[in-house]
Amino acid sequence: MTEMLEKERKLLERYGLVPEDIVYTARFDVAEDYRFTDGMILLTAEKMAVLLYPPVSGRDYYFGGYRTNPEEAGWEPALQIYDLAEVESLGIIRELTGGVLFGRISGVETRLCRFTNSHMGEMERLTDNLEKVKKKETLTKEDIEGKQRIERCPKCGTIYPDQQRRICPKCMDRKSIFARLASYFLKFKGRLVVMALCFVGTAVLNLVYPYLSGTILYDKVLSRNTEFMEFLQIPGMKFGVLLLVVVVTMAVSKILMQLLGIIHGTITATIVPDVVARIKQEVFQSMGKLSISFYNGRQTGGLMTRVLDDAGEITSFFIDGVPYFFSNALTIIVTAVIMIRLNWQLAVIALILLPVLTFTSYKMMPRLWHMYGRRHRANRSLNSQMNDNITGARVVKAFGQEEQEMSRFHHRNDNVRKAELDVAKYEIRFYSVLYSLVENLTSFMVWGLGAILILNDSGLEFGVLITITGYVTQLQGPLDFMSRVFRWWTNSMNSAQRIFEIIDAQPEVAERLDPVRPEKIRGEIEMRHVTFGYEKHKPVLKDVSFHIEAGKVLGIVGRSGAGKSTLVNLISRLYDVQEGEIYIDGINVRDMGFRELRKNIAMVSQETYIFMGTAAENIAYARPDATRAEIIAAAKQASAHDFICKMPDGYDTVIGSSGRTLSGGEKQRISIARAILADPRILILDEATAAVDTETELAIQESLEKLVKGRTTLSIAHRLSTLRNADRLIVIDDGKITEQGTHQELADLKGTYFKLMELQTKALALRE
Amino acid sequence: MQEFEFNEEELKAESEQLQQIRYLTKENAVFARTEGGFVSLEYDGKKYDRVGVYRMFPISDPEHYISIREADEKAREIGMIVDLEKMPKDTAEMLREQLRLRYFTPQIEKIMDIKDEYGYAYFHVLTNFGACRFTIHMGGDSVVSLSDSRVMLTDLDGNRFEIPDIYRLTVGERKKLDLFI
C-alpha cells in the first residue's frame, strides 16, 4: 500500500474516509494541463476518491528506473469522492505516453485523471479491482501490488542490464569468476610458466638495455673507467675489446628480446584457440540441454555472436592482459627503484609528471570509449543497411530505387566517416599530443636538470643521464597499459559471466532422475485439466481436457492465436504444464524419459527445418542408422522421391542454408519423409500444408494420409477439408475447448465448427 | 462469439466499407464536447458518443489527415479530416484538445544531467510540463532521430520524450547527449 502523508490522511478523514478502509491505491502523475503532478485514486468498499495536487514547479518527477517518489508536494490536494454505486465501470484510453482513466459515472463517461505509462500497471489493476470490490471480493496481494516490471539488484538498487538475467554488474563477484576462468588455463601450466619467464626476461632486458647504452657505454667504456676494466678482468687496457664486448652484449640483448617475443607469440597462438574452442564447446553443449523457453526469451542470432565474441574477449584478456599486468607492474616498480638509486633528483623530475599522465588518461578514457561506442553503432547501422539491400536487391531493382538507396547509404556511410574522424582526432589528441607533451616535457626537464647537475660537478655522470632518459621513455607503455587494464578486466569478467550463465543454466524442463522407460508406446494420449501460459499469469490454455485412443486421429480447429500449436508443444514436453497433467499410455509425460518420449513423437509443422547436409541425411535425421533403401522408401511415400531424383546429385545433393534452395513444398515433403522414417507412434501435424499451393497440398495430403495410418495423430489445420478423416475434432477458442465430437456431431451442433464449415464451402464455391 | 459470425454478405459489406475513403467536412459531420470531457460525433445518420482522434502523420504533418475512429478496441475508422483549419473553429479546437491528449509528449527544454551506467542512461531534464527524471535503455531503439535535429526518447516505462531541436540546447547539453545521437 502506498504510504500516505499526514495531511492526506487528515483531509480524507474530514470527508469520512478512514485510511484503514482503503483497499487499493493507484497513483497518477499528470494534471489536466498536462504538467507533472501527484495524485491518487483510492478505493474503499463503498467509495472511490480522487486526490489531486496542483502541479508544483521546482521539483522533479520520477519515472521508471528511478526509485520511489516519497517527496512531499507543498500544496494542498483537491479531493473528489464518488459512491461506488454511481461508478458503473472504469476504463482506460491508451495514449502514446500514458493514458486517461475514465469512469462511467451515473451514466456519463467522465475523465478522471491522466497518467504516464509509468502508472499504467496500477491503473489497469484499478479497473479490475473496482469490479472485484463491487462484487465484494477481497483483493489478493497480487491484485494490489501487481508484478514488478523492472527487475533490480536487491543489494544496491541498480537495474539489471539484462532483465532476463538477474545479475548486478556492481555487486557481481568478479574474483570467483576470475578463478573459475583461470581453471581453463591450468591445463597449460608448463607453457604458462614459460610465458611468464618470457615476460620476466623481457622486463629484465628492458631494464638492462638503457643501462648498457647509457651508464656502461658512456661512463665506463667511453670514459675508460679502469675500475670497471679490472672488474671485468680485461687486462692491458684494451678499450677496443671492451667496446666490442659491450656493443655485442647490447646487440645480443636486443636479439634476445625479439626471441622472447617470438616464443611468447607462439605459445599464445597454441593456447588461445584451444581455450576458445573449449569454452564454445561447453556453451554449445549446455545450449543443447536447455528448454525451448530459454531460446524464446532471447534473440538467438545475437546470443550466438555474443557467445563467440565473449569467448574471444576472455581469452585475449587472459593471454594479453593478465601476464602483461604483472610484467608491467614489475617494470614500473623496478625501473623507479633503479632510477632513484642511480640519481634521486633526476628520478623525481622524471617521475613527477607520470601521475599526471595516468590521471588524465584515466579521465579521458571514458570519452574515448563513448566514441568507440558511437563508431560501433554507426558501423552497425551501415551494416544493417547493406544487409537490407543485399537481401532486398530484387525489390530495389524492381522499383528502380538504386539512387535512393545510394543516397541512404551515403548518409550512413558519412556517419561512419564522421565517427571514425572523431575517434582519430581524439586519439591523436590523447596519445600523440598528451603523451608526446608529457614525454617531451619530462625529457626536457631531465636533460635540463641533468645538464645543471653535470655542470655543477655534483657527481652526475653523463651515462647515467642517458640511462635515465631511456627509462623515462620506456615507462610510458606500461603506464598507458595500467590506465586501461581495469576497464578491460571489468569487460572480460562481464563476458565471462554471460558465458557461465549459459553453461550453468538449468533447463526448465528437466528429465526425472529415474524416468520410466517403456519398451513400446501405443500412443494413447490424455490431457487432464491442463492450464499453461508462456508467462505465468497469462494463460494460453485454460483447463483443457481430452482423450485420444491409440491410432486415432484428432483434429484441432481454431483461430490463429487460439492455442493450438501450444497444445501440441506440450505433448512432446517442449514446455511443462502449469496445472493439470498429460498422460501417454497412462504415464505422466513428466515421468517419461526424454529419449522414449521424443523418439515416439514426430512433428511436421509449417516451419520446416532443413539443416546443412545432403537430402538423404536430412531425411534420416531422426534415425541416422537408416539404410538407403529405407530412406528411399520414406521419400517415395512422402512424394519427395521424384524431385530428389531430378536434382543432379540426387540424394547426395547438399541442401540447407548454403546448398541448393528448395521450394516450400519440397521442404515440406522432406520433413514428411523424415517423419515417416522416424516411424513414431504419435504424429503431430501442425498446419503441415499451410505453406504450399493447392496442387502440392493434394500431393502432400496423400502422403500424409499414408503416414497417419496406424498412428495416433494430432492434426492442426485451417482448412477443414484437411481434417475430413479425423476421428474426433476439438474446437479451441481463446485457450478453451469450446466444442468436441465427431465431424457429424459438430455439424449437428450448429456451433462454431458448423459456421466455419459453411463459410469454407462457400469460399470454395466462390473460387470455382 | 462475434469473431465467428461469418456471414458472407456482411463480410463483403464490411471489407468494402473498410476500403472506402470517407471525408469528414464541416458540412457532413457535427462534433460536440461531451459532459465527461470527450468528443462525440454525428455523421451519416449515426451518433458516436465518444470518438478517437488520431493523426496519420503525427511527425511530418500533424495538422492534416486526421483520422476519426470509433472508441472501442477495434477502433474502426469513421472518416478522415483532411485539414483541421477547414473545420469550424471550435470543432478544430476540441479536436486539437483530443490530439494533445493522445500525443501528449513532454518536450525536453533543458538537460540537467545524464549519467550512464551498466547499459542504462539516467536523465534529469526540464520539460515543458515540469522537471523530471527518467531512465532509458542504452541499446536498442530508445533514442530515435526524427530528423537531423529532432530526437525522440522512450523511457523504460514506455513514456516518450521529445527534443524538438537539439541545436536549441547549449553546447554543454548537446555534449551530454553526444553518446545517443
Side-chain angles (χ1 to χ4, degrees):
Chain A
M1 179 75 56
T2 331
E3 277 175 37
M4 205 170 286
L5 302 174
E6 194 47 44
K7 64 176 168 196
E8 293 167 351
R9 189 182 289 266
K10 276 195 184 134
L11 179 73
L12 290 173
E13 271 166 8
R14 207 182 313 147
Y15 289 93
L17 281 171
V18 191
E20 282 67 37
D21 288 346
I22 295 168
V23 291
Y24 182 71
T25 312
R27 291 205 171 247
F28 59 92
D29 53 3
V30 181
E32 271 298 293
D33 64 353
Y34 301 102
R35 291 174 62 192
F36 300 136
T37 187
D38 267 326
M40 51 176 121
I41 297 191
L42 311 153
L43 272 187
T44 69
E46 266 101 41
K47 310 257 180 197
M48 182 176 84
V50 182
L51 193 129
L52 170 72
Y53 282 96
V56 178
S57 33
R59 56 160 296 197
D60 295 339
Y61 291 87
Y62 290 73
F63 296 117
Y66 281 95
R67 303 209 83 169
T68 43
N69 177 14
E71 261 180 90
E72 185 180 338
W75 290 56
E76 287 307 313
L79 188 66
Q80 171 92 43
I81 299 177
Y82 302 94
D83 269 329
L84 280 198
E86 353 167 69
V87 184
E88 289 156 36
S89 66
L90 291 176
I92 288 171
I93 306 173
R94 284 168 187 279
E95 316 290 5
L96 300 180
T97 293
V100 175
L101 180 79
F102 70 92
R104 184 164 272 282
I105 292 167
S106 312
V108 178
E109 278 193 352
T110 310
R111 230 154 53 183
L112 292 170
C113 70
R114 290 177 184 161
F115 50 91
T116 65
N117 280 328
S118 308
H119 295 275
M120 187 61 90
E122 283 164 66
M123 286 297 166
E124 280 173 344
R125 267 174 287 154
L126 176 70
T127 60
D128 294 344
N129 290 345
L130 176 87
E131 302 285 314
K132 290 197 176 167
V133 170
K134 286 183 75 140
K135 278 191 238 156
K136 308 278 175 219
E137 285 174 32
T138 324
L139 299 184
T140 63
K141 193 163 182 288
E142 204 196 313
D143 288 336
I144 293 167
E145 287 172 9
K147 276 185 294 176
Q148 201 178 4
R149 247 170 29 84
I150 298 168
E151 299 266 357
R152 37 171 98 242
C153 170
K155 227 183 187 168
C156 64
T158 305
I159 311 171
Y160 293 126
D162 186 342
Q163 289 288 304
Q164 269 140 16
R165 310 165 51 218
R166 307 169 117 259
I167 284 150
C168 173
K170 239 186 210 166
C171 307
M172 182 168 88
D173 181 7
R174 297 207 178 84
K175 277 183 211 127
S176 66
I177 298 172
F178 184 81
R180 184 168 168 191
L181 274 178
S183 69
Y184 281 90
F185 293 87
L186 276 187
K187 201 176 125 192
F188 306 100
K189 254 180 270 162
R191 274 179 263 182
L192 286 178
V193 168
V194 176
M195 237 164 99
L197 287 179
C198 285
F199 279 119
V200 173
T202 314
V204 168
L205 287 173
N206 272 333
L207 290 174
V208 167
Y209 191 78
Y211 196 73
L212 278 175
S213 64
T215 314
I216 303 271
L217 188 66
Y218 287 95
D219 299 343
K220 305 280 150 79
V221 183
L222 294 181
S223 61
R224 307 187 172 218
N225 187 317
T226 25
E227 269 173 51
F228 186 65
M229 298 282 294
E230 275 161 24
F231 172 71
L232 284 182
Q233 296 179 333
I234 296 173
M237 304 297 247
K238 283 185 182 154
F239 283 104
V241 178
L242 183 58
L243 189 61
L244 193 69
V245 169
V246 170
V247 169
V248 168
T249 318
M250 280 167 68
V252 167
S253 58
K254 270 277 164 196
I255 291 169
L256 265 180
M257 270 194 245
Q258 289 300 321
L259 264 180
L260 288 177
I262 292 171
I263 295 173
H264 158 234
T266 321
I267 295 177
T268 309
T270 57
I271 297 182
V272 174
D274 199 286
V275 173
V276 172
R278 220 147 55 97
I279 293 178
K280 283 182 197 164
Q281 187 66 36
E282 276 190 28
V283 168
F284 195 74
Q285 225 167 26
S286 167
M287 282 169 73
K289 276 187 297 193
L290 289 170
S291 322
I292 289 290
S293 49
F294 179 86
Y295 296 94
N296 290 351
R298 286 144 228 262
Q299 287 181 310
T300 328
L303 184 79
M304 212 53 232
T305 41
R306 214 177 60 181
V307 164
L308 299 186
D309 287 349
D310 282 345
E313 164 91 33
I314 295 164
T315 330
S316 82
F317 177 71
F318 266 81
I319 293 300
D320 292 332
V322 177
Y324 273 112
F325 175 79
F326 290 112
S327 96
N328 281 328
L330 198 73
T331 310
I332 291 173
I333 294 167
V334 176
T335 312
V337 169
I338 293 183
M339 273 161 63
I340 290 167
R341 295 210 46 185
L342 281 174
N343 184 305
W344 69 268
Q345 290 112 317
L346 280 180
V348 167
I349 288 295
L351 295 174
I352 201 158
L353 280 181
L354 293 179
V356 179
L357 181 70
T358 313
F359 180 73
T360 358
S361 319
Y362 187 74
K363 277 271 148 198
M364 282 173 88
M365 209 54 102
R367 187 154 167 78
L368 197 61
W369 287 106
H370 279 185
M371 290 181 139
Y372 287 146
R374 222 173 79 185
R375 181 174 65 179
H376 177 75
R377 277 196 299 278
N379 266 318
R380 198 173 54 190
S381 135
L382 185 72
N383 285 344
S384 71
Q385 202 208 330
M386 284 244 266
N387 194 25
D388 268 10
N389 269 318
I390 291 167
T391 44
R394 245 186 333 160
V395 181
V396 175
K397 286 244 176 276
F399 286 101
Q401 290 301 311
E402 293 94 333
E403 259 172 56
Q404 197 198 328
E405 289 302 313
M406 220 98 90
S407 82
R408 274 194 347 163
F409 185 82
H410 174 77
H411 183 70
R412 286 175 187 197
N413 202 6
D414 207 50
N415 279 347
V416 174
R417 185 184 65 87
K418 279 186 199 142
E420 290 275 11
L421 219 60
D422 283 347
V423 168
K425 272 191 215 155
Y426 200 72
E427 270 182 336
I428 287 172
R429 233 181 336 161
F430 187 60
Y431 291 109
S432 316
V433 179
L434 179 71
Y435 270 78
S436 57
L437 189 76
V438 169
E439 192 179 335
N440 287 324
L441 211 61
T442 306
S443 56
F444 186 71
M445 291 193 312
V446 169
W447 280 112
L449 183 71
I452 292 169
L453 288 178
I454 289 174
L455 289 178
N456 281 354
D457 255 346
S458 52
L460 176 75
E461 285 167 282
F462 182 62
V464 174
L465 185 59
I466 297 279
T467 306
I468 287 185
T469 52
Y471 283 147
V472 167
T473 331
Q474 246 176 45
L475 269 184
Q476 261 140 33
L479 283 169
D480 176 38
F481 177 88
M482 288 299 173
S483 65
R484 57 175 96 194
V485 74
F486 184 72
R487 171 108 188 194
W488 196 2
W489 141 270
T490 312
N491 278 350
S492 69
M493 288 308 111
N494 278 341
S495 294
Q497 171 69 56
R498 281 200 288 262
I499 286 199
F500 286 146
E501 191 201 336
I502 297 176
I503 293 180
D504 297 342
Q506 288 298 322
E508 272 171 46
V509 179
E511 194 173 17
R512 236 181 62 176
L513 281 180
D514 52 339
V516 184
R517 300 197 185 278
E519 285 281 308
K520 218 170 156 29
I521 284 180
R522 284 175 293 120
E524 180 197 349
I525 303 174
E526 191 183 358
M527 270 203 187
R528 283 187 208 157
H529 307 290
V530 166
T531 295
F532 171 81
Y534 296 96
E535 289 165 57
K536 280 257 150 63
H537 302 286
K538 273 195 204 153
V540 178
L541 292 177
K542 297 162 204 155
D543 196 23
V544 170
S545 304
F546 66 82
H547 177 251
I548 330 166
E549 286 155 48
K552 293 282 161 85
V553 178
L554 178 78
I556 305 174
V557 184
R559 275 184 293 142
S560 40
K564 300 173 306 240
S565 299
T566 309
L567 185 92
V568 295
N569 283 343
L570 290 178
I571 293 173
S572 47
R573 230 189 137 202
L574 292 181
Y575 303 93
D576 267 339
V577 296
Q578 275 136 9
E579 283 166 44
E581 297 94 31
I582 301 173
Y583 295 94
I584 292 179
D585 289 2
I587 304 168
N588 193 327
V589 288
R590 279 174 190 266
D591 299 332
M592 211 181 273
F594 275 167
R595 191 157 37 92
E596 283 68 24
L597 182 64
R598 292 190 180 151
K599 205 177 75 188
N600 282 296
I601 300 178
M603 188 188 293
V604 180
S605 75
Q606 50 186 331
E607 283 169 54
T608 49
Y609 173 60
I610 302 288
F611 63 91
M612 262 290 294
T614 66
E617 282 166 350
N618 262 290
I619 293 172
Y621 186 64
R623 266 186 57 204
D625 58 335
T627 62
R628 293 220 166 86
E630 283 173 316
I631 291 173
I632 293 168
K636 199 92 186 164
Q637 262 195 62
S639 352
H641 179 71
D642 286 344
F643 86 81
I644 294 176
C645 285
K646 279 178 199 155
M647 294 192 291
D649 296 332
Y651 280 88
D652 289 327
T653 311
V654 174
I655 53 179
S657 51
S658 66
R660 189 181 180 282
T661 39
L662 300 178
S663 74
E666 288 169 340
K667 282 185 198 163
Q668 197 59 268
R669 278 179 269 185
I670 295 255
S671 57
I672 293 171
R674 195 185 284 161
I676 292 174
L677 192 63
D679 192 24
R681 299 313 309 150
I682 297 169
L683 180 70
I684 294 169
L685 303 175
D686 185 357
E687 299 279 1
T689 54
V692 297
D693 60 85
T694 323
E695 209 172 312
T696 323
E697 189 194 346
L698 278 178
I700 292 177
Q701 207 63 58
E702 267 169 48
S703 334
L704 285 177
E705 263 161 43
K706 279 181 202 143
L707 178 59
V708 162
K709 256 183 211 128
R711 301 174 212 276
T712 313
T713 306
L714 284 97
S715 180
I716 300 177
H718 274 309
R719 280 171 243 184
L720 299 183
S721 56
T722 323
L723 300 175
R724 60 178 182 268
N725 45 12
D727 298 297
R728 273 177 78 76
L729 290 151
I730 56 177
V731 179
I732 295 193
D733 188 37
D734 200 20
K736 279 180 270 198
I737 295 185
T738 52
E739 293 169 25
Q740 60 177 314
T742 61
H743 173 76
Q744 196 53 52
E745 281 166 15
L746 291 187
D748 291 345
L749 203 64
K750 296 239 187 307
T752 312
Y753 184 79
F754 177 74
K755 277 180 190 145
L756 215 55
M757 216 169 65
E758 216 180 21
L759 184 81
Q760 293 199 357
T761 330
K762 266 187 192 162
L764 275 180
L766 275 179
R767 233 191 272 170
E768 275 158 16
Chain B
M1 224 174 292
Q2 203 191 346
E3 288 81 359
F4 274 112
E5 287 295 338
F6 292 115
N7 182 310
E8 206 190 313
E9 279 81 56
E10 216 172 84
L11 270 179
K12 239 185 183 172
E14 196 177 296
S15 68
E16 234 160 68
Q17 206 174 2
L18 275 178
Q19 283 161 11
Q20 223 174 58
I21 293 182
R22 286 175 301 279
Y23 295 108
L24 303 185
T25 58
K26 58 183 167 197
E27 285 80 28
N28 66 10
V30 181
F31 290 93
R33 274 198 181 83
T34 66
E35 221 177 305
F38 300 107
V39 166
S40 68
L41 167 68
E42 264 188 88
Y43 168 73
D44 202 15
K46 262 192 232 164
K47 165 119 179 132
Y48 303 90
D49 287 338
R50 171 158 67 85
V51 293
V53 186
Y54 296 59
R55 285 186 174 124
M56 291 184 218
F57 303 95
I59 290 155
S60 59
D61 195 359
E63 282 285 290
H64 294 91
Y65 296 101
I66 308 297
S67 173
I68 307 295
R69 294 178 171 265
E70 285 178 30
D72 62 358
E73 286 282 301
K74 275 193 179 154
R76 244 174 263 197
E77 186 172 77
I78 304 164
M80 60 177 84
I81 298 170
V82 178
D83 187 353
L84 266 187
E85 280 295 307
K86 299 241 170 78
M87 296 304 277
K89 230 185 178 154
D90 61 321
T91 301
E93 199 33 59
M94 72 178 85
L95 290 177
R96 283 202 187 101
E97 221 171 78
Q98 296 296 313
L99 287 172
R100 265 200 297 282
L101 192 66
R102 177 167 169 78
Y103 295 93
F104 161 69
T105 307
Q107 297 191 343
I108 295 174
E109 290 167 347
K110 196 167 146 48
I111 297 173
M112 268 82 94
D113 187 36
I114 302 174
K115 187 179 81 171
D116 72 298
E117 195 180 45
Y118 305 121
Y120 293 92
Y122 299 82
F123 279 69
H124 182 191
V125 299
L126 181 68
T127 73
N128 54 341
F129 299 129
C132 69
R133 292 168 187 268
F134 62 91
T135 310
I136 67 165
H137 203 288
M138 296 271 283
D141 45 9
S142 37
V143 181
V144 181
S145 292
L146 301 177
S147 72
D148 283 343
S149 59
R150 202 166 154 204
V151 177
M152 185 79 84
L153 304 148
T154 308
D155 81 350
L156 286 184
D157 291 328
N159 297 321
R160 309 212 297 180
F161 296 86
E162 191 192 335
I163 306 177
D165 185 354
I166 52 168
Y167 295 103
R168 283 220 302 266
L169 299 173
T170 64
V171 179
E173 290 171 330
R174 274 212 303 281
K175 221 167 199 171
K176 287 177 194 145
L177 264 183
D178 208 30
L179 187 57
F180 307 95
I181 44 181

